[in-house]
Amino acid sequence: MAEVINMPRLSDTMEEGTVAKWLKQVGDKVEEGDILAEIETDKATMEFESFYEGTLLHIGIPEGEGAPVDSLLAIVGEEGEDISGLLNGGTVTSDATSEPVEEAATEGPAPSNTGMAEIPEGVEIVKMPRLSDTMEEGTVASWLKKVGDTVEEGDILAEIETDKATMEFESFYSGTLLYIGIQEGESSPVDAVLAVIGPEGTDVDAVLNAGSTAGKAQEASPEPVKEEKVAATTQEAASTTSNDGQRIFASPLAKKIAKEKGISLNEVKGSGEHGRIVKKDIENFVPAQKAAQPASTASAVASSGAPVAPVNLPVGVESSEETKNSQMRKTIAKRLSESKFTAPHYYLGIEVDMDNAIASRVQINSLPDIKVSFNDMVVKACAMALKKHPQVNTSWKGDTTKYNHHIHVGVAVAVEDGLVVPVLKFTDQMSLTQIGASVKDLAGRAKNKKLTPAEMDGSTFTVSNLGMFGIQEFTSIINQPNSAILSVGAIIEKPVVKNGQIVVGNTMKLSLACDHRTVDGATGAQFLQTLRAYLENPVTMLA
C-alpha cells in the first residue's frame, strides 16, 4: 500500500521547507532509513529519512522549490501501484493520518484543540524525541539544567542515550525549567514527557493535566506537534580561544564539565570532528605528568568495553557490582537473540594459506601513501565471492527470499558500549585502498559516536574480525537481515605440509555462519572455496 510522505516540521518555527536536493528519484528503490532528500528549514539544512520501504512513485516538490509544512512531499509504494487517488485534490493527507485524528476528537469530551487551549501561553511541554530511526525509548544520561534554572534557546538541556549514541539535547525555548519528568539514569518511551519550560510560577500540575488531555487527541497523528519542538545536536560546536590566539572548538557539555573540573581546554586534545573537544575527552583527560599509567588503563577499558576489576580487596572478601545496561547494549541483546533463535544457524570452517597474501601486502604497502590491512583483503575477497554466489547475498522474507543484486559489506567494529556495524556500500566496486580508507574512517567515527543511521543500515553480508586480539577461531551470530556472517581469526605461523614436506607456513582460520533457510551447506561450502582461492592468490582480486 502506498504511503504518503508530507513536508515535515523540522524546527519549532518552521512553516515551510525547501527541498535542497533529492537523493532518490522516481522509480528508485527505497529502504527504511534511506535518506530521501535534504530539506532546508529556517534554521538549517537537514537530511530527511524514509520510514518506509518500497519504490519512490511520486515527487511532489522539485529541487529548489519550497512548500508549507504538511504539503505532499513524496509517495512511496509498490512498483506500478495506482496512486491517482492520492494525487487528486492537490495537498494530500493519508488515511492513516486523518482518520485516527477524527476518532480521537470524537472519543474525548472535547476537541483536541480544547485541551491545547488549557496550556498557558508561553508554556511548552518537551517530550522524549525520536533521535534515530530505530529508537523506541531513550535514557537520560545527565541533566545539564535543574528545576528552577533559566533556559535560553539553544541551551543544552540534557544528554539523551539512544540505542546508537548519546546525544546532546538542545532547547528551542526560553524560560524557566519548571519540571523534569524523567530522572537521570531512567528510561522512557519516545513521546513521554521529558520536561516543562515556561514562566516562573506556572502551575505545573495543571499544565501536565492539560498536556495529557491534548496528547490523547494527538497520539494518532504522525505529524510533529507543538510540544515536540526540541532538537538534538552533535554538530554545532562552541568555541573559545587558546593561548596562541587560535580557536578551540568544544561542545557546550565539554566546556561545562571542564569548567567544573578546573581543566583548561588548552591542554585537552579533541577526538571529535575537526579536533572538536567532546565530553569523553574531558572525562578521560589526565594531566601530562600522570599520563603514562592512566592512559594504558583507559585504553584497556575502551578495548574491553567493561569496567576495570576491583583492586586491593582484602583476602577472602567477595565483591560485585551491577551497572545499568545502555540502550546500545539492550538493542544488541534484543537483535542478536532474535537472530539466534529465529534463524537456523549452522557453521562452516576452512583454513587459508596466507603466505601469498603476506607477500602481496608487503608489495602493495611499499607503494607511496598506500596502506592495506589483511582485513581489507578479506572484505574485498568476500565482495568478489558474493558476486559468484548470489545465494549468500540474500535475505529471508518469510514467503519470499530477497536477492540483493548490490553488495554492501558490513564490518563489525567494537566500541566502548558494545558493537556497531558500519556498511561499505557497493564494496565489489571498491579497490583495496578505497576499502582500507573507508574502513578506517567509519571505524574512527564509530568509536567517536559520529556515525549516522544511514551509514549503519543496508548491509547484505557482514565480516567480523578478532584476529587482532589473537583469537584463532570463533563463530558469530548472523547480523539480520543478512544470510551469513564471516568470522576471521588471527594469522598463525606454524608447521604445514607443502609438496610432501613439513615447512613453516602462515595460516588463517575462517568460519562462516549461515542461515539454513536461504543458504544450504553446499552453497556455503562453495562460497568458502571461492573466498579461499582469492585470498591464497590475491593477484586474482586485482585482475
Side-chain angles (χ1 to χ4, degrees):
M1 177 180 175
E3 300 286 354
V4 173
I5 301 173
N6 292 328
M7 174 68 77
R9 188 184 301 277
L10 298 176
S11 79
D12 59 318
T13 57
M14 178 178 171
E15 296 180 358
E16 68 174 41
T18 299
V19 177
K21 182 179 181 181
W22 279 101
L23 303 183
K24 296 286 186 179
Q25 302 300 324
V26 171
D28 285 356
K29 295 295 183 183
V30 177
E31 300 289 337
E32 183 178 348
D34 282 357
I35 306 299
L36 284 178
E38 293 179 350
I39 296 180
E40 182 181 331
T41 74
D42 56 333
K43 293 183 181 289
T45 299
M46 307 175 69
E47 294 180 337
F48 184 63
E49 293 183 9
S50 173
F51 285 95
Y52 306 111
E53 293 186 357
T55 300
L56 183 58
L57 303 175
H58 176 75
I59 288 177
I61 307 172
E63 285 187 5
E65 293 191 7
V69 169
D70 293 339
S71 299
L72 173 62
L73 180 65
I75 298 177
V76 173
E78 297 180 4
E79 189 172 1
E81 187 174 353
D82 182 9
I83 59 171
S84 57
L86 296 175
L87 296 175
N88 291 336
T91 302
V92 181
T93 55
S94 66
D95 293 341
T97 303
S98 58
E99 291 180 2
V101 174
E102 294 173 1
E103 292 173 3
T106 56
E107 288 175 2
S112 60
N113 57 5
T114 301
M116 288 295 294
E118 296 176 11
I119 299 177
E121 184 177 353
V123 176
E124 302 293 347
I125 297 177
V126 180
K127 294 187 176 181
M128 177 67 75
R130 187 183 302 276
L131 299 177
S132 78
D133 55 325
T134 57
M135 178 177 171
E136 297 178 357
E137 67 175 9
T139 299
V140 176
S142 64
W143 279 100
L144 304 186
K145 297 286 185 179
K146 61 181 183 294
V147 172
D149 284 357
T150 299
V151 178
E152 298 293 337
E153 182 178 347
D155 282 356
I156 305 298
L157 286 178
E159 281 192 313
I160 305 293
E161 181 183 315
T162 74
D163 57 330
K164 294 186 176 178
T166 299
M167 306 176 72
E168 294 173 348
F169 195 51
E170 179 182 308
S171 174
F172 281 144
Y173 304 116
S174 296
T176 300
L177 182 57
L178 305 172
Y179 172 80
I180 288 178
I182 305 170
Q183 301 303 315
E184 287 188 0
E186 292 185 357
S187 302
S188 289
V190 169
D191 289 338
V193 175
L194 183 65
V196 177
I197 296 174
E200 191 173 358
T202 300
D203 184 348
V204 175
D205 290 338
V207 171
L208 294 174
N209 290 335
S212 176
T213 302
K216 291 178 181 178
Q218 294 160 351
E219 285 176 355
S221 174
E223 299 304 318
V225 293
K226 187 176 182 181
E227 290 84 1
E228 299 175 29
K229 299 171 184 174
V230 179
T233 175
T234 58
Q235 301 300 322
E236 294 294 332
S239 66
T240 185
T241 306
S242 66
N243 294 333
D244 59 2
Q246 298 297 314
R247 296 179 70 189
I248 298 176
F249 288 92
S251 71
L253 177 58
K255 292 181 67 179
K256 178 178 183 294
I257 298 174
K259 183 178 180 181
E260 291 175 350
K261 293 187 174 184
I263 297 173
S264 171
L265 294 178
N266 288 292
E267 302 177 29
V268 182
K269 183 177 180 181
S271 63
E273 194 171 355
H274 305 302
R276 178 176 180 245
I277 298 171
V278 294
K279 175 189 173 185
K280 73 171 187 177
D281 299 324
I282 303 298
E283 292 181 335
N284 295 335
F285 174 74
V286 179
Q289 65 273 21
K290 299 180 182 179
Q293 180 58 35
S296 63
T297 303
S299 176
V301 174
S303 298
S304 65
V308 177
V311 294
N312 298 326
L313 288 175
V315 176
V317 175
E318 294 182 351
S319 176
S320 65
E321 65 174 317
E322 291 187 8
T323 59
K324 187 176 179 65
N325 291 325
S326 66
Q327 290 299 319
M328 178 181 287
R329 177 54 57 190
K330 289 192 284 187
T331 300
I332 290 172
K334 177 182 177 183
R335 292 182 179 173
L336 293 186
S337 296
E338 289 174 350
S339 177
K340 185 67 174 179
F341 299 132
T342 59
H345 286 55
Y346 71 92
Y347 305 93
L348 301 171
I350 59 171
E351 192 166 11
V352 179
D353 181 350
M354 294 295 288
D355 284 343
N356 287 340
I358 292 172
S360 296
R361 180 172 177 263
V362 169
Q363 286 185 314
I364 293 171
N365 288 346
S366 66
L367 300 174
D369 302 322
I370 291 181
K371 182 70 172 178
V372 171
S373 70
F374 290 113
N375 191 66
D376 301 334
M377 300 174 79
V378 171
V379 171
K380 177 66 174 178
C382 286
M384 297 185 69
L386 288 169
K387 291 183 68 175
K388 293 191 174 183
H389 303 279
Q391 189 72 38
V392 183
N393 200 45
T394 56
S395 298
W396 176 259
K397 293 292 186 180
D399 292 333
T400 62
T401 296
K402 179 181 179 181
Y403 283 79
N404 298 297
H405 299 303
H406 58 278
I407 294 172
H408 295 347
V409 176
V411 180
V413 175
V415 296
E416 187 174 355
D417 293 334
L419 184 74
V420 294
V421 184
V423 180
L424 301 177
K425 303 294 176 68
F426 306 105
T427 320
D428 56 311
Q429 301 172 24
M430 302 172 73
S431 67
L432 280 172
T433 52
Q434 288 174 326
I435 290 173
S438 296
V439 169
K440 182 178 179 181
D441 172 60
L442 291 169
R445 289 192 290 117
K447 292 178 180 179
N448 291 329
K449 298 182 178 179
K450 295 292 184 182
L451 287 179
T452 65
E455 291 172 320
M456 293 183 281
D457 288 338
S459 67
T460 61
F461 184 86
T462 305
V463 173
S464 179
N465 190 340
L466 292 179
M468 66 285 293
F469 297 106
I471 302 301
Q472 297 184 30
E473 186 176 11
F474 68 104
T475 57
S476 302
I477 298 175
I478 296 170
N479 179 33
Q480 297 284 350
N482 299 174
S483 285
I485 182 171
L486 184 74
S487 304
V488 183
I491 298 176
I492 302 298
E493 187 178 54
K494 69 175 189 178
V496 297
V497 177
K498 289 187 177 181
N499 301 320
Q501 300 293 320
I502 297 178
V503 297
V504 176
N506 295 274
T507 66
M508 178 176 69
K509 291 185 177 180
L510 303 176
S511 298
L512 184 71
C514 301
D515 184 342
H516 218 319
R517 297 173 299 181
T518 49
V519 182
D520 292 329
T523 303
Q526 291 164 0
F527 171 84
L528 284 178
Q529 286 178 338
T530 301
L531 181 62
R532 175 161 52 192
Y534 281 128
L535 289 173
E536 291 186 344
N537 300 279
V539 68
T540 59
M541 291 191 285
L542 306 176

